[in-house]
C-alpha cells in the first residue's frame, strides 16, 4: 500500500507515514510498555496470521480502513483510481482471483 502511494506521488498524510517502523512495536518494547503500565506476568508472542480476500477488489478496499483511507478517498477520482490500480497490481491474486497475505502480530497477555 505504501509503495503504491509513493509510486503515485501521494503526499504523506502525517509525519513518517511511509516508515513502517514508526508504528511497529517489537516483542521486548511491547512487554516493557505493559509492565510499566502496571501489568504483571506479561508474555508476548509473535503469531503469523493469514488474511484472505475473495477478490482483489476486496483487498484493495482495505485501504479505506487504514490511516491512509482519508487521504486516498480525498484524491481526485483519476488519482484515487491510479493508487488503487497500482495497489491491486502489487497484490498476488490466485488463479481464482483470491488474495492471500501473510502477516505477523505480537500478541500480549498480562494480569492487571
Amino acid at each position: 500500500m505504501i509503495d503504491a502511494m509513493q509510486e503515485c506521488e501521494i503526499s504523506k498524510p502525517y509525519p513518517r507515514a511511509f516508515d513502517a517502523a514508526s508504528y511497529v512495536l517489537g516483542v521486548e518494547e511491547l512487554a516493557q510498555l505493559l509492565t510499566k503500565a502496571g501489568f504483571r506476568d506479561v508474555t508476548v508472542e509473535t503469531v503469523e496470521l493469514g488474511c484472505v480476500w475473495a477478490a482483489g477488489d476486496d483487498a484493495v478496499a482495505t485501504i479505506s480502513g487504514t490511516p491512509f483511507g482519508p487521504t486516498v478517498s480525498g484524491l481526485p477520482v483519476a488519482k484515487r483510481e491510479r493508487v488503487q490500480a497500482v495497489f491491486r497490481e502489487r497484490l498476488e491474486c490466485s488463479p481464482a482471483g483470491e488474495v492471500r497475505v501473510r502477516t505477523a502480530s505480537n500478541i500480549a497477555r498480562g494480569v492487571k
Side-chain angles (χ1 to χ4, degrees):
M1 187 178 323
I2 291 170
D3 291 342
M5 293 184 66
Q6 288 177 313
E7 183 176 319
C8 295
E9 300 178 348
I10 306 301
S11 299
K12 293 179 202 171
Y14 52 88
R16 297 185 64 202
F18 296 156
D19 177 5
S22 73
Y23 52 86
V24 173
L25 289 175
V27 171
E28 289 300 318
E29 186 180 9
L30 181 54
Q32 289 173 2
L33 287 171
L34 290 171
T35 300
K36 286 180 184 176
F39 288 86
R40 58 182 166 64
D41 300 326
V42 173
T43 61
V44 181
E45 64 178 306
T46 303
V47 178
E48 286 194 21
L49 306 167
C51 297
V52 180
W53 292 271
D57 286 344
D58 295 339
V60 170
T62 63
I63 292 173
S64 61
T66 71
F68 304 118
T71 299
V72 173
S73 67
L75 294 171
V77 173
K79 190 90 165 176
R80 181 175 57 243
E81 289 174 350
R82 175 71 182 134
V83 171
Q84 292 169 335
V86 171
F87 184 44
R88 186 178 296 105
E89 288 168 12
R90 293 176 185 276
L91 296 170
E92 294 182 21
C93 293
S94 73
E98 194 177 71
V99 175
R100 293 179 177 270
V101 177
R102 298 295 301 163
T103 64
S105 291
N106 290 327
I107 307 297
R109 293 181 200 90
V111 178
K112 184 82 170 180

